[in-house]
Structure formats: structure tokens, C-alpha cells
Amino acid sequence: MANVTFDSLKKDISNRKFVPIYLLMGDEAYFIDQLTELLSENVLTETEKDFNMLTFYGVDSDVNTIISAARRFPMMAEHQLIVVKEAQELNKFEQLDSYAKNPMRSTVLVISYKHGTVDKRKAVVKNIEKSGGVVFESKKWYENQIPAFIKGYFSEKNIKIDEKSAQMLTDFVGNDISKLIQQLQKLQISLPQGSNTVTSELIEKNVGISKDYNNFELLKAVIAKDILTANRIIEYFDKNPKDNPSVVTLSVFFNYFGNLLECFWLPQKNEQSVMSALNLRSSFFARDYMTGLRNYNALKVMEIISHLRAFDGKSKGIDSISASAGELLKELVYKIMH
């Protein structure tokens, strides 16, 4: 099965369309855990699990024992389920190839291989796919994919969230899906009775991000060259450094101005072209780039990127031992807007 996605696998598993082997691997553990849990819930009933489900851990298991278990027939059930957790710790992993060539059709073998991948050129991977199994790589997402994920997560639960609030959460948590889910669950249970909308006020109260003083609002002020608002936010950051680390602000600025530089080379500089070039899913974000195109030029943006690199060095103590993070940020923002 080629080009499998998390959503397609989730749909098939929910519809009880199982394959003999699932190799779930990659750097983003969240999706691996979700699919493993989904298979644990769907392959067997609770009664069937007593005789037909076995869980192994890579660090204290061996390949031969796993293969022997996988070759057994289920007892009073259509399938048996074998789950191998932390498979990246399994010694002689490649020897699973002897089973992958000819797996039992009544066995569902789930291999959870986190924080890395198995070389796809290896025989074990090729034979898993040849025998009708699934090889799923759970990659770390880019931050620009996170707002859509947040909206999708809430949409499944009939909860709404606006673009600003989704971006606030993204700026605060980044692309660590597991940490993000914890915050989304916290917001879900914090919704007032009768409400189905996550607002910036709810986020401020329950996550700890100020709805007015955050990286999203700082970037908006810088894009619009609103010096007063920008300085007000920087002063707040300086008083609350733990909640507003400069490395996050730098990442937000790098991402925006790097993308803005791309926009200057577009044949047509309109919202649709910007959305297409930057793979944006909403015109809400494209508007910020349209404002940036009006307020900055390509040479200035290249200069800004140089300032960002210098700020990165200074924030790490290079050529600026005495300045505070707030002072450095104030200097950076001044150079960007002048």
C-alpha cells in the first residue's frame, strides 16, 4: 500500500479493513500512538483480547519469540493482535523479514518504531509492502501545518476556533503534536456550558498566553509598522521572559520574512498567488503578506533577515554579553521597522 496517510489508515482501521503488518515509524510519536491505540480498540473485542492479544517491548524481546507468536492461530476469534512497542530497541530487527515474506493472514502485527525510521531500501520494509502490509512514516510537521491541524481536531468534536486563536496556540506550542494535544484537551474541557467556540480569551485564561501580548500580535504590529503597539508588547515580553522566550519570537519572524521574500518574485502579487506559493490554507494569513509587500521591499527584507541572524547570535551571547533579551528584541524590531 503506497502513499498511506494517517487519515486513510484511520478510516480503514475504523472500518475494520486490516492488513497483516503495520510498520508505524517516524519522528512524530503522536500519530504512531494514535494508530496503535486505534488498532488495539478495533481488531479485537474486549473478550477476544484475553486470548488473542500480546504486547512485546523491543528492549526486552527477541525477533524469534515475536515471529513464533505471530504464526499462531487465533482462539475463537477472526484475528489475533501482536503489538511490538519501542521496536527501535529490538535487536536484529531486520530478521523480521523472514515473517514479512509470508505473514499469517489471521494475525495483525503492529510494529511501533518511534524516533527514527527503518531504511526503506531494506528487504524487511519492501517485503512488508509486497505482502500487503502498511509502511507508515510519521514525520514531524512544519509549523505552518499546525493551525489547520488544530482546526481539524476541534472540528471533529464540533468545536470552532478562529484563525488568530489557532495561530496563537501554534506560536506558543510549536510543532510538538503531543504537547499541543494536551493544550487542546485542556481547552475542550474548559469550554463554558453551551459554548462550542474556543476564543483568545479562553486561551488566555487556560493556557497562559496573553490574547493581546503574544508573538502573533507582535508580528502583526511589525508588519503594519505599528511602533507603539510593538514596543508595548516587547515591554510585556521583557517582564515575562519565561512565557515569551526570544527563540520562539525569532522563529516566528524568520518564518514570516523568509516567506515574504519569496512573495516578491511572484509574477502576480495577489492573495491567491501568495496562498498558492506559500501553501496557505486561508486568506487570513495571506493578508499579512499583502500588507508586508506594501510596507517593505525585497532589499529591506534581505536586510531584515541579516538582522535576524545577528539577533540569533546576540541572544546566544555573541557580541552582546550585557544586553537583556528585551533590549535585544527592542533593537531588532527598531531595525526591522526603520
Side-chain angles (χ1 to χ4, degrees):
M1 293 177 66
N3 301 320
V4 292
T5 65
F6 173 75
D7 288 333
S8 67
L9 279 178
K10 185 177 174 183
K11 182 179 179 181
D12 283 348
I13 294 167
S14 298
N15 290 329
R16 296 186 54 77
K17 293 179 181 177
F18 307 126
V19 299
I21 306 176
Y22 293 86
L23 173 55
L24 311 175
M25 60 183 185
D27 294 317
E28 181 49 72
Y30 172 77
F31 297 109
I32 295 173
D33 288 339
Q34 285 291 296
L35 291 171
T36 302
E37 186 178 342
L38 198 61
L39 283 159
S40 298
E41 290 172 353
N42 283 272
V43 174
L44 301 170
T45 65
E46 287 303 315
T47 306
E48 290 172 339
K49 285 178 184 177
D50 292 340
F51 297 104
N52 296 288
M53 181 172 177
L54 286 173
T55 301
F56 295 93
Y57 290 86
V59 71
D60 56 12
S61 301
D62 66 88
V63 170
N64 288 333
T65 303
I66 293 168
I67 291 175
S68 294
R71 290 208 182 279
R72 293 176 192 155
F73 287 99
M75 293 181 63
M76 296 176 290
E78 185 181 355
H79 296 99
Q80 70 158 339
L81 177 65
I82 308 290
V83 178
V84 184
K85 295 188 174 182
E86 307 299 338
Q88 70 276 8
E89 303 292 342
L90 185 63
N91 194 26
K92 298 179 181 177
F93 180 90
E94 289 82 3
Q95 290 183 8
L96 282 170
D97 181 48
S98 64
Y99 179 77
K101 289 175 183 175
N102 185 27
M104 292 283 286
R105 296 292 152 178
S106 56
T107 294
V108 176
L109 174 61
V110 183
I111 304 166
S112 172
Y113 193 108
K114 296 181 184 176
H115 316 302
T117 58
V118 184
D119 188 338
K120 292 181 180 178
R121 294 169 296 182
K122 288 188 178 293
V124 62
V125 177
K126 291 180 178 179
N127 282 320
I128 287 172
E129 292 184 319
K130 280 182 185 176
S131 64
V134 158
V135 177
F136 170 72
E137 185 176 351
S138 182
K139 296 179 180 179
K140 279 284 185 187
W141 283 21
Y142 295 109
E143 284 199 12
N144 63 3
Q145 296 174 284
I146 302 300
F149 173 80
I150 292 171
K151 294 189 79 174
Y153 176 91
F154 280 133
S155 179
E156 283 187 0
K157 295 165 175 55
N158 295 315
I159 298 172
K160 298 175 184 175
I161 183 170
D162 60 37
E163 303 282 2
K164 174 186 171 179
S165 299
Q167 190 62 47
M168 281 171 61
L169 287 166
T170 302
D171 294 343
F172 183 71
V173 181
N175 65 341
D176 187 323
I177 303 290
S178 296
K179 287 183 180 176
L180 178 64
I181 292 295
Q182 292 174 6
Q183 299 297 343
L184 301 186
Q185 290 172 340
K186 189 190 297 183
L187 289 167
Q188 186 182 345
I189 62 175
S190 301
L191 279 169
Q193 192 168 3
S195 171
N196 71 335
T197 304
V198 173
T199 62
S200 54
E201 287 80 9
L202 190 75
I203 293 171
E204 181 174 39
K205 184 178 179 182
N206 293 282
V207 179
I209 316 168
S210 168
K211 67 182 178 66
D212 298 315
Y213 300 97
N214 55 70
N215 284 304
F216 178 86
E217 294 296 342
L218 176 58
L219 181 62
K220 294 279 281 188
V222 169
I223 294 168
K225 291 196 171 184
D226 183 344
I227 297 169
L228 182 64
T229 299
N231 284 333
R232 196 180 292 139
I233 295 170
I234 292 167
E235 285 175 16
Y236 177 86
F237 281 12
D238 200 23
K239 291 174 184 173
N240 302 274
K242 287 184 179 180
D243 294 331
N244 304 280
S246 57
V247 66
V248 177
T249 305
L250 181 65
S251 174
V252 170
F253 278 21
F254 257 128
N255 181 61
Y256 174 79
F257 284 106
N259 284 341
L260 183 61
L261 192 58
E262 283 188 43
C263 295
F264 285 102
W265 317 131
L266 293 175
Q268 293 186 324
K269 298 175 181 62
N270 53 44
E271 277 189 20
Q272 197 59 44
S273 298
V274 168
M275 285 176 68
S276 177
L278 301 181
N279 196 24
L280 302 176
R281 299 194 181 191
S282 168
S283 60
F284 178 83
F285 297 109
R287 289 173 206 141
D288 286 339
Y289 290 102
M290 297 306 296
T291 304
L293 286 168
R294 289 194 298 271
N295 289 343
Y296 296 92
N297 59 52
L299 285 175
K300 178 62 180 176
V301 172
M302 285 190 272
E303 181 187 309
I304 288 168
I305 291 171
S306 295
H307 290 322
L308 293 173
R309 291 199 178 103
F311 172 82
D312 185 33
K314 288 178 181 179
S315 66
K316 294 170 181 171
I318 301 170
D319 299 330
S320 180
I321 298 170
S322 59
S324 70
E327 289 168 337
L328 289 174
L329 185 57
K330 199 164 191 174
E331 177 190 7
L332 171 67
V333 169
Y334 178 85
K335 287 179 177 178
I336 288 174
M337 293 197 287
H338 289 84

